[in-house]
Amino acid sequence: MKNMGVSQETVKDMAIGARKLLKTDFAVATSVSPDQMVDRDKASGNQLDSSCFRKEVICEKHVFRNDRNTNINRFTLAALNLLRNR
């Protein structure tokens, strides 16, 4: 996970924190790499998704090379799919 801007551990901690704060069984956290944020129209994208189900925490990395709007949609579906699979 080099040069991702936000580490895998940070994204996992975000999901755990959200689950605890909201007192839910499930939580999802995401982070987009800095290069996706620098140029809103740039065709790039790295994202870490993490889901937390009680004590189980899973993190995945996704790389999509489309326009920003397409990437946002794909990242959203990837995060929801990660949660669905749990």
Side-chain angles (χ1 to χ4, degrees), residues 2-84:
K2 276 183 151 180
N3 301 321
M4 288 295 295
V6 175
S7 72
Q8 187 175 17
E9 288 305 313
T10 301
V11 177
K12 286 181 178 182
D13 288 344
M14 290 166 50
I16 292 167
R19 188 190 60 76
K20 287 179 181 178
L21 179 68
L22 300 171
K23 298 177 182 167
T24 63
D25 288 334
F26 303 95
V28 174
T30 63
S31 177
V32 177
S33 67
D35 68 333
Q36 181 68 15
M37 295 183 289
V38 171
D39 184 350
R40 303 193 92 162
D41 298 319
K42 188 175 181 181
S44 68
N46 298 318
Q47 176 170 342
L48 292 170
D49 298 323
S50 183
S51 73
C52 178
F53 173 67
R54 295 189 182 121
K55 301 223 182 245
E56 179 186 22
V57 183
I58 296 168
C59 191
E60 293 181 353
K61 176 185 174 185
H62 300 279
V63 178
F64 298 125
R65 302 285 183 205
N66 300 101
D67 64 86
R68 183 173 186 271
N69 288 332
T70 301
N71 283 346
I72 289 170
N73 290 334
R74 292 180 80 183
F75 290 145
T76 301
L77 292 174
L80 291 173
N81 191 52
L82 182 63
L83 182 60
R84 181 188 66 83

